[in-house]
């Protein structure tokens, strides 16, 4: 699996730098070609000589010495994966802000391959709001973060912040390499879940969407190398932290967030069950129980899919869902046209084991060229892969 793979290992100034020796040794043992770059402070923890011996390559630390200049752009392009392990708090902060004051940062900024980060720091530093913000920021740039583990720290304290074990880091790399990276460089927006429309401060109108399909899609896009933004309504599901998630409550908030980001997107998939109507004037205070019956005045929400369909560029791929209980095909085709989508994914509530709350789903995809792609009942994860494959094949046709 690692044979012939080009791995660029960045080492920063952290006591966990000693574990980099084990990482290099294992990568080389499994046939990978390893090049090591160290920040100047990493050299205080471990010597370049050890790492050049193990990697069988010169270790680079400086952007230039007296005689030559290290070509950071070519190094960034050479690698199949760039791994920074350990990643110190200081280098993390610089990466989050585009600072480029050493060779490692210059290579990181030039890297065109997936970048995997294995942070290592003391527990209090790890939990500091600035560190957590920086982690979120570098994650939103599309970097992969290997979660820190819990255990004994250099300070003598026990807690979170330890760099994960070398064997786990190698597994991460293998896992990433095993996924096809056919969407590297692509930006994808996915919506998921229901929306809640407030009636008063304690009540709302919502729907049964669990968000599972949208989350599975966002995960699939992310695993295939795309830079994903998920706009999620209120869902009980745990949201993965391997890509950027924007949480919203109402249809209007979902609209605002989608309109903010959609111009930068290559692929947009609207899997959310957005409310079609919202309350005209939500009550400021809790509505008291008085009359035998009362009416709530509703007004139409903006159709997000249709709005994006009107504004999108021909190079942007737009996919919508159609949730139908009757006249499925006819309704799905009408939505494909009225919303100017490239495909509509039909979800029929009449299909057994499909729809709200289920872990399985059954879909049929319709495209603008009049093609129909039926799929069997499968897990939402497998359906997500079918949808992504279909999008890629139609977009590349
Ligand atoms: N959609 C949207 N904004 C809305 C309503 C729907 O973006 N305000 C999107 C959904 O995310 C989905 C598609 O439109 O991708 C179809 O949603 P669906 O509920 O099936 O259909 P509607 O257009 O709402 O029409 P109807 O409820 O009459 O079937």
């Amino acid at each position: 699996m690692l044979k012939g793979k080009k791995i660029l290992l960045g080492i920063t100034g952290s006591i966990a730098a000693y574990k980099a020796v084990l990482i290099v040794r294992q990568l080389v043992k499994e046939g990978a070609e390893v090049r090591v770059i160290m920040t100047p402070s990493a050299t205080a923890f471990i010597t370049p000589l050890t790492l050049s011996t193990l990697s069988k390559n010169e270790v680079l630390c400086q952007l230039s010495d007296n005689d030559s200049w290290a070509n950071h752009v070519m190094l960034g392009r050479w690698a199949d994966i760039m791994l920074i392990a350990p990643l110190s708090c200081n280098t993390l902060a610089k990466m989050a802000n585009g600072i480029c004051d050493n060779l490692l940062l210059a290579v990181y900024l030039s890297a065109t391959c997936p970048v995997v980060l294995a942070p290592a720091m003391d527990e209090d530093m790890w939990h500091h709001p600035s560190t957590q913000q920086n982690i979120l920021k570098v994650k939103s740039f599309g970097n992969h973060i290997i979660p820190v583990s819990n255990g004994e720290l250099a300070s003598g304290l026990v807690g979170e912040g330890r760099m994960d074990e070398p064997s786990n880091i190698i597994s991460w790399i293998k896992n990433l390499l095993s996924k096809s990276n056919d969407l590297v460089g692509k930006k994808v927006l996915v919506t998921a879940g229901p929306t809640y429309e407030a009636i008063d401060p304690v009540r709302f109108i919502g729907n049964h969407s669990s968000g599972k399909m949208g989350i599975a899609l966002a995960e699939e896009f992310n695993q295939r190398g795309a830079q994903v933004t998920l706009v999620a309504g209120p869902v009980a599901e745990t949201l993965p932290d391997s890509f950027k998630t924007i949480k919203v409550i109402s249809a209007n908030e979902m609209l605002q967030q989608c309109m903010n980001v959609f111009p930068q997107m290559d692929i947009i998939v609207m899997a959310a069950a957005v409310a079609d109507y919202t309350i005209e004037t939500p009550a400021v205070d809790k509505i008291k129980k008085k009359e035998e019956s009362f009416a709530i005045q509703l007004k139409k929400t903006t159709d997000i899919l249709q709005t994006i369909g009107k504004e999108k560029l021909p190079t942007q791929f737009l996919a919508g869902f159609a949730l139908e209980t009757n006249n499925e095909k006819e309704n799905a085709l009408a939505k494909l046209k009225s919303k100017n989508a490239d495909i509509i994914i039909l979800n029929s509530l009449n299909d057994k084991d499909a729809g709200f709350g289920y872990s399985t789903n059954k879909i049929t995809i319709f495209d603008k060229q009049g093609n129909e792609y039926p799929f069997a009942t499968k897990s939402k994860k497998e359906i997500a892969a079918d949808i992504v494959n279909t999008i890629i094949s139609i977009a590349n046709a």
Side-chain angles (χ1 to χ4, degrees), residues 242-376:
S242 44
F243 48 80
K244 183 175 174 185
T245 301
I246 302 171
K247 291 185 191 166
V248 297
I249 307 283
S250 66
N252 190 43
E253 280 171 31
M254 189 171 274
L255 170 74
Q256 302 305 327
Q257 295 294 345
C258 288
M259 296 317 286
N260 273 347
V261 295
F262 113 83
Q264 296 108 51
M265 298 294 156
D266 300 296
I267 300 171
I268 301 133
V269 184
M270 311 298 278
V274 189
D276 290 333
Y277 291 90
T278 190
I279 287 70
E280 200 158 68
T281 323
V284 178
D285 297 315
K286 186 182 168 201
I287 299 170
K288 299 305 280 178
K289 175 174 56 186
K290 280 190 231 133
E291 284 86 25
E292 278 307 304
S293 67
F294 77 101
I296 299 173
Q297 188 65 34
L298 301 178
K299 63 172 183 199
K300 244 190 188 166
T301 56
T302 305
D303 190 314
I304 309 170
L305 178 62
Q306 195 168 46
T307 310
I308 292 179
K310 275 192 197 134
E311 293 186 20
K312 83 178 186 84
L313 299 171
T315 48
Q316 292 179 300
F317 192 98
L318 181 61
F321 275 75
L323 183 70
E324 306 297 340
T325 55
N326 57 308
N327 296 334
E328 286 101 340
K329 183 170 173 179
E330 196 185 320
N331 287 336
L333 289 175
K335 283 178 190 170
L336 179 70
K337 200 160 173 228
S338 68
K339 304 196 187 211
N340 191 32
D342 294 285
I343 56 166
I344 283 283
I345 303 148
L346 169 66
N347 237 328
S348 165
L349 276 188
N350 293 326
D351 284 316
K352 205 175 145 287
D353 301 331
F356 289 141
Y358 285 102
S359 294
T360 49
N361 206 1
K362 185 170 186 316
I363 59 154
T364 307
I365 297 180
F366 299 92
D367 71 11
K368 274 205 298 211
Q369 290 68 39
N371 300 308
E372 185 173 332
Y373 308 82
F375 294 92

Side-chain angles (χ1 to χ4, degrees), residues 83-288:
L83 166 68
I84 305 183
L87 171 68
S88 67
C89 195
N90 186 35
T91 299
L92 166 68
K94 290 180 183 177
M95 289 168 72
N97 291 288
I99 293 172
C100 182
D101 64 358
N102 61 40
L103 177 66
L104 175 51
L105 290 161
V107 174
Y108 159 70
L109 288 167
S110 319
T112 49
C113 59
V115 178
V116 182
L117 308 173
M121 63 198 78
D122 228 71
E123 185 176 30
D124 296 332
M125 290 167 88
W126 173 250
H127 285 298
H128 195 281
S130 63
T131 308
Q132 290 305 311
Q133 262 179 27
N134 289 336
I135 286 282
L136 286 180
K137 211 164 161 192
V138 296
K139 210 180 270 180
S140 75
F141 301 155
N143 298 310
H144 302 264
I145 315 280
I146 303 185
V148 293
S149 61
N150 206 302
E152 216 174 289
L153 299 160
S155 59
L157 296 171
V158 174
E160 271 192 325
R162 266 171 77 93
M163 185 174 86
D164 206 352
E165 291 310 314
S167 56
N168 292 340
I169 292 176
I170 306 265
S171 301
W172 256 83
I173 301 283
K174 285 184 180 169
N175 196 21
L176 200 62
L177 285 167
S178 71
K179 307 252 157 61
S180 57
N181 278 316
D182 42 4
L183 289 172
V184 169
K186 296 283 178 208
K187 294 197 172 110
V188 179
L189 167 66
V190 179
T191 64
T195 62
Y196 287 177
E197 308 306 314
I199 298 172
D200 68 11
V202 293
R203 304 173 179 100
F204 59 83
I205 297 177
N207 61 65
H208 293 301
S209 170
S210 63
K212 282 182 182 159
M213 192 64 244
I215 295 169
L217 272 163
E219 283 183 312
E220 182 67 24
F221 278 117
N222 178 57
Q223 284 171 1
R224 293 167 77 152
Q227 194 176 324
V228 176
T229 303
L230 174 69
V231 177
V235 289
E237 297 288 307
T238 315
L239 293 169
D241 58 6
S242 44
F243 48 80
K244 183 175 174 185
T245 301
I246 302 171
K247 291 185 191 166
V248 297
I249 307 283
S250 66
N252 190 43
E253 280 171 31
M254 189 171 274
L255 170 74
Q256 302 305 327
Q257 295 294 345
C258 288
M259 296 317 286
N260 273 347
V261 295
F262 113 83
Q264 296 108 51
M265 298 294 156
D266 300 296
I267 300 171
I268 301 133
V269 184
M270 311 298 278
V274 189
D276 290 333
Y277 291 90
T278 190
I279 287 70
E280 200 158 68
T281 323
V284 178
D285 297 315
K286 186 182 168 201
I287 299 170
K288 299 305 280 178

Side-chain angles (χ1 to χ4, degrees), residues 213 217 321 345 363 365 383-392:
M213 192 64 244
L217 272 163
F321 275 75
I345 303 148
I363 59 154
I365 297 180
I383 289 282
D386 287 338
I387 294 172
V388 173
N389 287 335
T390 310
I391 289 176
I392 293 172

Side-chain angles (χ1 to χ4, degrees), residues 49-110:
L49 180 62
T50 311
L51 293 156
S52 62
T53 311
L54 287 171
S55 67
K56 303 185 178 80
N57 272 312
E58 183 194 359
V59 170
L60 300 167
C61 301
Q62 308 288 348
L63 261 169
S64 66
D65 57 26
N66 288 338
D67 306 318
S68 62
W69 168 77
N71 189 334
H72 54 86
V73 176
M74 289 329 287
L75 268 172
R77 290 187 170 206
W78 166 84
D80 293 314
I81 280 194
M82 180 174 189
L83 166 68
I84 305 183
L87 171 68
S88 67
C89 195
N90 186 35
T91 299
L92 166 68
K94 290 180 183 177
M95 289 168 72
N97 291 288
I99 293 172
C100 182
D101 64 358
N102 61 40
L103 177 66
L104 175 51
L105 290 161
V107 174
Y108 159 70
L109 288 167
S110 319

